[in-house]
């Protein structure tokens, strides 16, 4: 390759990196508006070409005016000034019961806001002012906080303390914190299985990075023998056990009770999913994805179809960020999923090689494409403080662990226990369920599993499932619903579940279908749609490509649980290169699919990747995107 060509390649790569981070943020804002219900409409208006919309019904659009916040600080309100938390926490007067109810109201609002849990800064006001507690006052405040939490059927557990003493005392003394202070986890008791907090984590990394082994050690609580013994229970196929490599999308769960203790840890036998689900207040669902390049399609499908809240990137200390690790990191960044990194095998890695791996990680995470702030976590204090701030996607925590010696594994467990809720889900929108797997269960029938994209569904509801190869939807009834293999009566947006369907055969369902509510007008599906633009179509961003892309180019397109080959039939310019944002029209090759405006798309062909967000679900060949070209040939079946 000539020097000139090499320079062009580097420039294109930098353009792609910069465009990736900027465009991922743009997509996140678009989806936040959609799932958050800020783009609400009147229900009487036709919502979209597909017949469904995901905005909140009868909700007024709330405009933010930060310049008016000064009015709140000036105290012009007719209401009485807010009561300070310190007076509620230290009240031992005859009216203590009244203030305890006020404190319980504060706790309830924070727990509800955190989707069932919150971390309470005991010793600091909401405005950052220190309460100046001594040891006795902090103990009294903790007892009051526990009583208030119990009124709301929640439990408290101390995560970290300063100037208090005890097992949770911070190892480093901060000059900033001079009074007694601590972070307390408040978690609601799950009355039913429906109330259990669920966090989905996609586990990715290069082959032999130790993904399945780490999950086996975390879940079972027993260390590995250095030969992969801990990973055996996670494999689904015989050839995976023989080769030691994951080739499918594996699933494993890890439960925490209200006090943050791992459910079933230390017992002789591994607990079943049903036992973990019944005893847990919070469940971490791990999606163990394949690391070999041969299974990239399966890995990308697992990343998009499972709708992960977080991504756990595994890196072997003796190998570094090599092979598919960079591909997986790029996909996670393009999906704008918060990333945490676990460096494994530090017990067999020489110190200088480990340092090279950490230096490489730091350089890649700080690059223009990632723009992350690496945080190396080695203490409990760093674990708690980083987890509470992890909603800020600029932070990327890095753990260095050994599955054989157990070094830093407790820090990883603590971090997973207090991970905050992340994601935009709208339970008030019309129901939509993405099918990512199908089963045939004896004495039950056909079962489909997946994630509820929006809305709420109940057992016994009449629904539609499709589209089939002809674009048709089949009416059926949800006989029963299970979450984590436990029967439930309902399932809402953001939760994963399995539905048993009535009068549907296994061969009639497939991955990539959707389950929708039954309406008089059948939903429309589309074979063609457009990508990116300033008005209608899909923003499409080429992440990396060695050459140009023109019409007739074909690639594998991923939209949620849909994986199908697509062809580019029109572009708003002659060609697109790395880092370009363009208006692109796609056509599904095999069959039409159900799409919604705002869906995130990812297409790939080898190492070529494009990122986009659906903004229109139709394409008119009479109005080509590129006016300089001749009108494209007529296409039949734009909408099925």
């Amino acid at each position: 390759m000539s020097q000139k060509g090499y320079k062009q390649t580097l420039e294109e790569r930098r353009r792609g990196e910069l465009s990736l981070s900027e465009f991922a943020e743009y997509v996140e804002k678009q989806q936040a508006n959609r799932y958050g219900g800020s783009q609400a409409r009147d229900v009487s208006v036709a919502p979209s070409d597909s017949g469904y919309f995901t905005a909140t019904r009868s909700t007024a659009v709330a405009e933010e005016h930060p310049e008016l916040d000064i009015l709140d600080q000036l105290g012009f309100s007719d209401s009485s000034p807010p009561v300070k938390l310190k007076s509620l926490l230290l009240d031992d007067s005859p009216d203590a019961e009244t203030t305890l109810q006020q404190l319980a109201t504060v706790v309830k609002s924070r727990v509800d806001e955190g989707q069932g849990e919150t971390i309470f800064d005991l010793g600091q006001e909401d405005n950052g002012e220190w309460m100046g507690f001594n040891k006795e006052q902090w103990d009294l405040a903790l007892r009051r906080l526990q009583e208030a939490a119990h009124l709301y059927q929640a439990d408290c557990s101390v995560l970290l303390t300063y100037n208090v003493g005890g097992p949770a005392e911070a190892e480093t003394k901060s000059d900033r914190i001079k009074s007694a202070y601590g972070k307390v986890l408040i978690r609601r008791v799950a009355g039913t299985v429906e109330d259990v907090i669920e966090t989905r984590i996609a586990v990715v990394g290069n082959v032999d990075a130790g993904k399945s082994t780490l999950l086996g050690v975390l879940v079972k609580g027993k260390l590995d023998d250095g030969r992969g013994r801990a990973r055996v229970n996670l494999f689904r196929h015989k050839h995976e056990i023989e080769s030691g490599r994951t080739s499918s999308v594996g699933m494993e769960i890890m439960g925490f009770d209200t006090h943050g203790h791992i459910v079933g840890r230390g017992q002789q036998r591994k607990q079943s999913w049903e036992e973990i689900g019944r005893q847990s207040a919070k469940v971490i669902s791990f999606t163990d994805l394949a690391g070999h390049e041969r299974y990239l399609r399966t890995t990308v499908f697992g990343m998009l179809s499972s709708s992960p809240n977080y991504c756990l990137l595994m890196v072997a200390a003796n190998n570094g960020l090599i092979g598919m690790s960079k591909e997986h990191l790029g996909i996670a960044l393009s999906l704008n999923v918060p990333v945490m990194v676990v460096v494994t095998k530090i017990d067999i890695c020489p110190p200088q090689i480990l340092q090279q791996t950490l230096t490489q990680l730091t350089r890649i995470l700080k690059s223009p494409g990632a723009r992350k702030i690496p945080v190396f976590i080695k203490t409990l204090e760093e674990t708690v403080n980083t987890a509470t701030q992890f909603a800020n996607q600029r932070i990327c925590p890095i753990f260095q662990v050994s599955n054989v010696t157990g070094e830093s594994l407790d820090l990883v467990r603590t971090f997973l226990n207090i991970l905050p809720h992340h994601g935009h889900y709208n339970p008030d929108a019309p129901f939509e369920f993405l099918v990512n797997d199908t089963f045939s269960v004896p004495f039950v029938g056909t079962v489909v599993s997946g994630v509820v994209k929006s809305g709420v569904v109940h057992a016994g509801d009449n629904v539609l499932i499709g589209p089939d190869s002809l674009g048709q939807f089949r009416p059926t009834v949800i006989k029963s619903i299970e979450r984590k293999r436990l029967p439930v009566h309902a399932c809402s947006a953001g939760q994963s579940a399995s539905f048993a369907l009535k009068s549907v055969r296994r061969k009639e369902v497939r991955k990539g279908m959707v389950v929708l509510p039954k309406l008089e007008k059948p939903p429309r599906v589309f074979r063609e749609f457009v990508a990116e633009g300033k008005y209608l179509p899909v923003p499409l961003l080429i992440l990396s490509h060695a050459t140009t892309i023109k019409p007739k180019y074909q690639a594998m397109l991923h939209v949620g649980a849909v994986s199908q080959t697509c062809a580019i039939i029109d572009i708003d310019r002659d060609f697109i290169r790395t880092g370009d944002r363009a208006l692109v029209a796609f056509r599904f090759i095999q069959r039409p699919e159900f799409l919604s405006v705002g869906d995130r798309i990812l297409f790939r062909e080898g190492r070529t990747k494009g990122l986009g967000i659906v903004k229109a679900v139709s394409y008119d060949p009479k109005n080509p995107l590129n006016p300089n070209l001749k009108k494209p040939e007529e296409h039949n079946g734009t909408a099925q």
Side-chain angles (χ1 to χ4, degrees), residues 158-171:
V158 179
L159 299 175
L160 189 69
T161 60
Y162 293 86
N163 306 313
V164 175
E169 184 74 7
E171 297 178 5

Side-chain angles (χ1 to χ4, degrees), residues 516-565:
L516 303 171
K518 190 175 182 180
L519 298 177
E520 295 181 1
K521 183 180 178 181
R524 299 178 67 193
V525 294
F526 301 89
R527 189 175 289 274
E528 299 174 355
F529 65 99
V530 187
E532 151 94 299
K534 302 173 183 176
Y535 50 103
L536 285 174
V538 182
L540 177 67
L541 172 67
I542 301 303
L543 304 184
S544 60
H545 197 249
T547 180
T548 59
I549 292 181
K550 299 180 180 180
K552 298 184 179 179
Y553 173 84
Q554 293 189 4
M556 178 62 65
L557 189 81
H558 299 270
V559 188
V562 173
S563 296
Q564 191 183 150
T565 304

Side-chain angles (χ1 to χ4, degrees), residues 586-600:
F586 282 103
R587 181 199 292 152
F588 288 113
I589 298 296
Q590 295 173 285
R591 56 184 170 266
E593 299 284 2
F594 179 84
L595 298 175
S596 299
V597 174
D599 285 347
R600 190 192 299 263

Side-chain angles (χ1 to χ4, degrees), residues 213-224 229-234 252-254 262-271 413:
T213 302
L214 177 68
L215 293 187
V217 171
L218 286 177
V219 172
K220 292 169 49 177
K222 295 182 180 180
L223 298 178
D224 188 50
R229 180 181 180 182
R231 68 191 176 192
V232 174
N233 290 333
L234 274 71
E252 193 53 77
I253 65 172
M254 181 179 182
I262 299 176
V263 173
R265 185 182 180 188
Q267 297 190 6
Q268 293 297 323
R269 64 177 182 86
K270 179 185 176 183
Q271 289 201 319
R413 294 187 182 99

Side-chain angles (χ1 to χ4, degrees), residues 214 312-317 339-346 354 357-358 361 365 374-380 382-384 386-387 390 396-402 407-419:
L214 177 68
L312 175 59
L313 176 65
M314 304 283 292
V315 178
V339 179
M340 62 188 91
V341 179
V342 173
V343 180
T344 61
K345 304 182 181 181
I346 61 173
L354 174 61
T357 299
L358 299 181
L361 257 177
L365 291 174
V375 179
F376 293 92
I377 298 180
K378 295 183 178 180
T379 64
L380 176 63
E382 294 169 343
T383 303
V384 175
T386 305
F390 197 33
C396 181
I398 301 176
F399 296 88
Q400 303 170 51
V401 306
S402 168
E407 183 176 348
S408 298
L409 284 176
D410 283 339
L411 299 182
V412 176
R413 294 187 182 99
T414 302
F415 190 85
L416 296 174
N417 174 40
I418 57 181
L419 267 181

Side-chain angles (χ1 to χ4, degrees), residues 86 121-125 128-139 160-165 169-170 172-183:
K86 181 177 180 179
D121 291 313
L122 189 59
Q124 190 176 26
E125 298 282 356
E129 178 184 345
W130 295 106
M131 297 181 183
F133 285 160
N134 56 33
K135 175 67 168 58
E136 290 72 21
Q137 289 176 322
W138 194 89
D139 290 339
L160 189 69
T161 60
Y162 293 86
N163 306 313
V164 175
E169 184 74 7
T172 58
K173 295 295 182 181
S174 174
D175 296 334
R176 185 175 59 90
I177 305 174
K178 297 182 179 179
S179 58
Y181 166 74
K183 290 184 179 291

